[in-house]
Amino acid sequence: DDRVSSVSVQQLIEQISYVNKAKMIDHIGSVEEGAYEIYNCVEKIIKQDILGCEMIELEGKDLGSKEESTVPEEEVFGDVLWDAHDEQEQMEAFQQASNSTCELGFEKYFERLNDLVAAPAPIPPLLVSGGPGSGKSLLLSKWIQLQQKHSPNTLILYHFVGRPMSTSSESALIIKRLTLKLMQHSWLVSPLTLDPAKLLEEFPRWLEKLSARHQGSIIIIIDSIDQIQQAEKHMKWLIDPLPVNVRVIVSVNVETCPQAWRLWPTLHLDPLNSKDVQSLINAECNSANVKLTKEQEKKLERHCRSATTCNALYVTLLGKTIACVGNTGNIDKTLQQCFQCQDTVSLYRLVLRSIQESLQSDKEKGLLREMLCVIGVSHNGVSESELMELYPELSSAVLASLVHSLHKMCLLTYGCGLLKFQHLQAWEMVRLEYMEEGESIISAYRQRLVEYFTMQLRVLILVCFSFNSRDRVTWRSADELPWLFQQQGDKQKLHKCLLNLFVSQNLYKRGHFAELLSYWQLVGKDKSSMAAEYFDSLKEYEKSCEGEESMICLADLYETLGRFLKDLGLLSQAVAPLQRSLEIRETALDPDHPRVAQSLHQLAGVYVQWKKFGNAEQLYKQALEISENAYGAEHPRVARELDALATLYQKQNKYEQAEQLRKKSFKIRQKAARRKGSLCGFALLRQRALQLEELTLGKDTPDNARTLNELGVLYYLQNNLETAELFLKRSLEMRERVLGPDHPDCAQSLNNLAALYNEKKHYDKAEELYEKALDIRRRALAPDHPSLAYTVKHLAVLYKKMGKLDKAVPLYELAVEIRQKSFGPKHPSVATALVNLAVLYCQMKKQIEALPLYERALKIYEDSFGHMHPRVGETLKNLAVLSYEGGDFEKAAELYKRAMEIKEAETLLIGGKTTSRHSSSGDTFSLKSALSPNIFLEHGQR
């Protein structure tokens, strides 16, 4: 009721208001609204303060359509596939490893590590060895922190390997991640192979390239490297001579260190001395206000003298066990129980049993067992929400209590929001305690997870892969289900799972190429048969696609397949799916949409590898043109296209042209990096707060108006349309006052507001504002200016959407003129504009006007791409429709036959002819009849 409920709440609110990093949400309303408010707040903090969203990048740019604004940005260092989850897992592993406040006498080890960095080259890797739980991860993470603080020019690449058989222990992913880190720091842009064998070959070359450019040292640290399967085979680059300024440090358990590596210089972690033992135990006891007697301290010192009882993990666990008893419990009894545990696994068992005894019922004890077992048999852990869905009787209160106890006692930890075992010894204890029956009980728990994740996919199968259900295939389903089938040895179900297009797409897009390939090898399929099966699945899925969104999703799947085949080296098979992806995007979106540029770029990449440089150059130039129009000349996407062209020219020995493009790209990337750096973290929040205060109280200035426009764009992208409208309106009003109503900046605000109203389906308002923006830009800008072309395009599309076809015609004609002035009369972009205009005429039943436009477009496409290009085929098909409707059936048949020959040539690239989905009847010539019953909609979207 808008009243503070108690004095204590009032005091809490007052305290929070003085805390810099606290955020208070003042909300009056329903619980659901409050939860939604909190969600939005947390999302905003993640985007702005943690991810450092580059809001200034939108400065001076039009909003465009919502779809255009939300095109997912891929990593711009080559065409690499980056897994945010894998990267987040590494960041969390590093933070967890460095969490301890105790140094454990590490100073002597720090000196040895420092000596390694300073030693003259060449020098083999340094081996940090010790028993399980001896503190190797803690030592390395603490030393990394010191290096980052005192040697800012030193580049440190680290990887912490988790449990064996988890994602973090997969060699191909480790090498890929380290290679990507090198690429990011080197400013060298090149396509990155995902083939595991080639990755292994290329990594030393990347290391050589970066070492030649980097001013300081480069240190590569891999913790628990012996947990990688076949580590010697997959990490063979370690035995090769390293560049002079590169140092490598790897940690291993003494028992599992490969024999060949034992000859390397070794830093062995000694058991803890009595002083370190006392320091660790006192730290844990002090945190719980527990005071030990002198006699108890002496008993502990005597106990912690053997090799297995004086390692860091054992002593830490011992200290936590004592601290849990507290001053009210019987410490002597607890010590007596602990002294019977002669290694970490047995001490973990004691900890688990004490947690069991604290539970109130057998039901809770059973749930504890189930929790730990399903976490243990999973690939990468299990989330809290998944546990509650797996066990509906598990309440959130019980789960929270269990997780708190298990986390506090070093049994479980969080990684990427998943619960997993904090140490290998904890998992070993759970196996001994709960899974003594061996493989049969493990298989039963795996089957429980298989059933759960299969259920997650069932909805998608039932609705024939509808667009909205594709989100059900999360990274969790893709991570766990195929791996579980592999562990169960169920090849048939694994095969079926792999043919779920969204599962395979998810794995591939996150760079899990080697994992995907290993699954196919397990089911006994070679590369070619795998490619054919995927293509057949896609064709079957295409039959169920209805509507624009579904087609966009289909285009993504075709692109993923094309990229996958390219990475497999199947270049001829990769062309057809990439070409199909391009066609669909041009049809379902717009020929100038950024995703079309993405398709062009990927297709060009195949032609480069195929050494068809002429084809590749044409496609890269088209992609560059679209990216510049969509994002502006200084966007990282533009830099990507420039780099691709530069690499192409270099392969053709056109070094001067390549160098010019490289310099231009480098400047764009430098500027983007500086901009990103200045906007990261809490600095962004403070900057925004200051700007808003200044905007509220300050004068009207062009800069303030620009910032208001920028904030409007920010809220628009967050889908907060009401707030976006307020900022955009204020920006427009301020610009009109300061700059005058005819200034180009006013046109930008008008354009942005129009896009917003278009999003809200207020088409009349959008039309009025687009018309005003067009009027200003026509008078103020050059006839071929990108901003003018931008407004022309969006107003034309709006007219068409509103059914005002007569008003759309002159704008589509103007679009043709602009492109002719910009690129010349024979450019493919002009042909695309001609097709768009022809489409419009067909919708207006003006086939006579459409015919010469299609014919001219056909000539341009044939001259640019050759007579067998798919765009030629589609244009022939459109001309066949016109001839058929005009009564010239012979010509229609001839044109259609030519179109089908091109289509059949395309399908042969996949390894066999495919039956066309289109019949020979007159009303089925359309490219994608599923989009609309109108015969000409294929033209309409083109």
Side-chain angles (χ1 to χ4, degrees), residues 75 77 80-95 144 148 155-162 167-185 192-196 199-200 203 206-207 210 219-223 228 235 237 416 510-514:
E75 174 59 58
F77 291 91
V80 298
L81 298 155
W82 182 268
D83 189 351
H85 294 105
D86 291 349
E87 189 56 30
Q88 178 67 17
E89 184 181 46
Q90 284 304 307
M91 290 164 64
E92 289 176 2
F94 172 68
Q95 288 160 2
I144 289 170
Q148 289 172 335
L155 172 60
I156 301 176
L157 307 178
Y158 62 80
H159 189 92
F160 289 81
V161 178
T167 299
S168 66
S169 69
E170 291 176 15
S171 57
L173 287 177
I174 295 171
I175 294 296
K176 186 199 73 158
R177 180 177 171 271
L178 293 175
T179 305
L180 291 179
K181 289 287 187 184
L182 289 171
M183 290 169 76
Q184 285 180 322
H185 285 281
L192 178 68
T193 179
L194 291 180
D195 186 307
L199 262 177
L200 197 59
F203 178 68
W206 276 108
L207 203 52
L210 180 55
I219 302 172
I220 298 173
I221 296 170
I222 303 177
D223 181 48
I228 300 170
M235 296 288 151
W237 58 272
C416 285
R510 289 167 44 230
H512 291 223
F513 177 92

Side-chain angles (χ1 to χ4, degrees), residues 102 138 153 168 175 585 710 896:
C102 298
L138 178 60
N153 285 336
S168 66
I175 294 296
R585 283 173 176 167
E710 180 187 310
Y896 188 70

Side-chain angles (χ1 to χ4, degrees), residues 197-267:
K198 289 181 181 174
L199 262 177
L200 197 59
E201 285 176 23
E202 288 181 8
F203 178 68
R205 295 176 201 153
W206 276 108
L207 203 52
E208 191 73 48
K209 283 180 184 178
L210 180 55
S211 67
R213 291 172 173 232
H214 191 66
Q215 299 300 314
S217 301
I218 300 171
I219 302 172
I220 298 173
I221 296 170
I222 303 177
D223 181 48
S224 301
I225 194 170
D226 51 321
Q227 300 297 337
I228 300 170
Q229 291 184 352
Q230 296 180 297
E232 281 183 275
K233 174 185 174 184
H234 297 301
M235 296 288 151
K236 60 185 180 183
W237 58 272
L238 288 169
I239 61 175
D240 296 328
L242 296 166
V244 290
N245 57 341
V246 176
R247 300 289 181 271
V248 176
I249 302 168
V250 296
S251 74
V252 292
N253 280 332
V254 176
E255 301 89 348
T256 53
C257 177
Q259 193 63 39
W261 295 0
R262 294 175 189 263
L263 301 173
W264 293 346
T266 304
L267 171 61

Side-chain angles (χ1 to χ4, degrees), residues 555-777:
D556 291 344
L557 290 168
Y558 270 118
E559 182 185 283
T560 302
L561 175 59
R563 294 176 71 168
F564 185 44
L565 298 179
K566 183 181 81 170
D567 286 328
L568 286 168
L570 303 173
L571 300 182
S572 60
Q573 282 117 311
V575 170
L578 288 173
Q579 186 66 53
R580 184 70 187 126
S581 172
L582 174 63
E583 291 167 11
I584 293 168
R585 283 173 176 167
E586 287 182 327
T587 302
L589 294 166
D590 184 274
D592 295 327
H593 195 281
R595 288 195 184 185
V596 173
Q598 170 72 7
S599 288
L600 292 164
H601 181 95
Q602 294 302 335
L603 194 53
V606 175
Y607 285 128
V608 169
Q609 285 192 27
W610 216 349
K611 300 197 184 310
K612 295 189 174 184
F613 297 136
N615 296 34
E617 182 177 3
Q618 187 68 44
L619 293 170
Y620 277 140
K621 283 181 175 178
Q622 283 179 261
L624 176 62
E625 172 201 324
I626 293 171
S627 296
E628 284 179 334
N629 286 335
Y631 298 113
E634 295 189 342
H635 193 278
R637 281 290 178 114
V638 173
R640 180 179 79 155
E641 305 306 338
L642 291 169
D643 281 316
L645 267 172
T647 303
L648 178 64
Y649 287 143
Q650 199 165 332
K651 286 178 183 291
Q652 296 172 279
N653 300 325
K654 298 176 181 178
Y655 298 114
E656 192 175 333
Q657 287 171 271
E659 188 61 25
Q660 286 174 353
L661 295 177
R662 286 255 189 253
K663 285 178 180 176
K664 194 174 175 184
S665 164
F666 186 73
K667 284 178 183 176
I668 294 171
R669 291 185 188 281
Q670 271 190 323
K671 194 170 181 180
R674 282 198 299 270
R675 188 164 59 225
K676 186 175 183 180
S678 68
L679 288 175
C680 282
F682 283 92
L684 175 68
L685 197 61
R686 286 196 292 271
Q687 179 186 334
R688 284 284 173 267
L690 287 170
Q691 282 180 337
L692 285 171
E693 186 179 349
E694 191 179 314
L695 290 168
T696 307
L697 304 173
K699 297 176 181 177
D700 289 355
T701 67
D703 281 346
N704 281 355
R706 189 200 70 206
T707 306
L708 283 165
N709 178 69
E710 180 187 310
L711 287 165
V713 171
L714 163 63
Y715 283 112
Y716 175 89
L717 294 176
Q718 292 174 338
N719 216 24
N720 187 344
L721 301 184
E722 302 308 319
T723 309
E725 185 177 353
L726 290 174
F727 278 111
L728 292 172
K729 277 183 172 178
R730 278 203 65 193
S731 170
L732 175 59
E733 290 163 5
M734 194 179 288
R735 280 173 165 172
E736 286 179 337
R737 283 196 299 270
V738 176
L739 303 169
D742 295 330
H743 194 279
D745 283 2
C746 293
Q748 183 197 57
S749 292
L750 288 163
N751 205 92
N752 288 350
L753 264 174
L756 184 140
Y757 287 132
N758 188 34
E759 176 74 14
K760 294 171 78 173
K761 296 186 168 46
H762 297 169
Y763 298 132
D764 291 336
K765 285 185 179 179
E767 178 186 4
E768 182 186 349
L769 295 172
Y770 271 137
E771 284 175 346
K772 284 184 181 178
L774 179 60
D775 182 55
I776 293 169
R777 286 180 164 170

